[in-house]
Amino acid sequence: MKTQLFGYHHIVFPDGRREDMVVVEVDEQGRYVSHRPLQTGTNGTDASFIEEPFVQWLGGTFRLT
C-alpha cells in the first residue's frame, strides 16, 4: 500500500479532541492511516519544527469524520 505524508497545523478527531503541528499519513484514496507530531529541533535556545523529507506541507486543519 502506497501512502502519502502531509503536514497540518491541526488534526481534529470526531470527539472534538485536537492535536497541533502534525504529520498525517493517508492511503492512495486519501483515507486516514495514522498521524504523529511534526519533528522538532533546537535553533539556539528556541525549539523549531524541522522540514521533513517526503512530507508535503498543506497547513490548515485535517478533520477526521
Side-chain angles (χ1 to χ4, degrees):
M1 169 174 73
K2 184 176 176 175
T3 62
Q4 292 181 293
L5 301 172
F6 297 103
Y8 289 93
H9 288 101
H10 318 283
I11 183 170
V12 177
F13 297 90
D15 65 1
R17 184 172 51 96
R18 181 179 104 170
E19 292 183 27
D20 299 327
M21 303 306 284
V22 296
V23 174
V24 175
E25 181 179 15
V26 298
D27 67 12
E28 294 164 329
Q29 287 76 39
R31 295 178 298 214
Y32 172 85
V33 173
S34 66
H35 76 282
R36 61 175 172 75
L38 192 62
Q39 292 181 13
T40 59
T42 55
N43 181 8
T45 58
D46 298 327
S48 61
F49 294 100
I50 297 172
E51 185 173 339
E52 300 180 40
F54 309 110
V55 174
Q56 181 181 350
W57 180 258
L58 296 179
T61 302
F62 183 89
R63 295 184 187 278
L64 283 170
T65 55

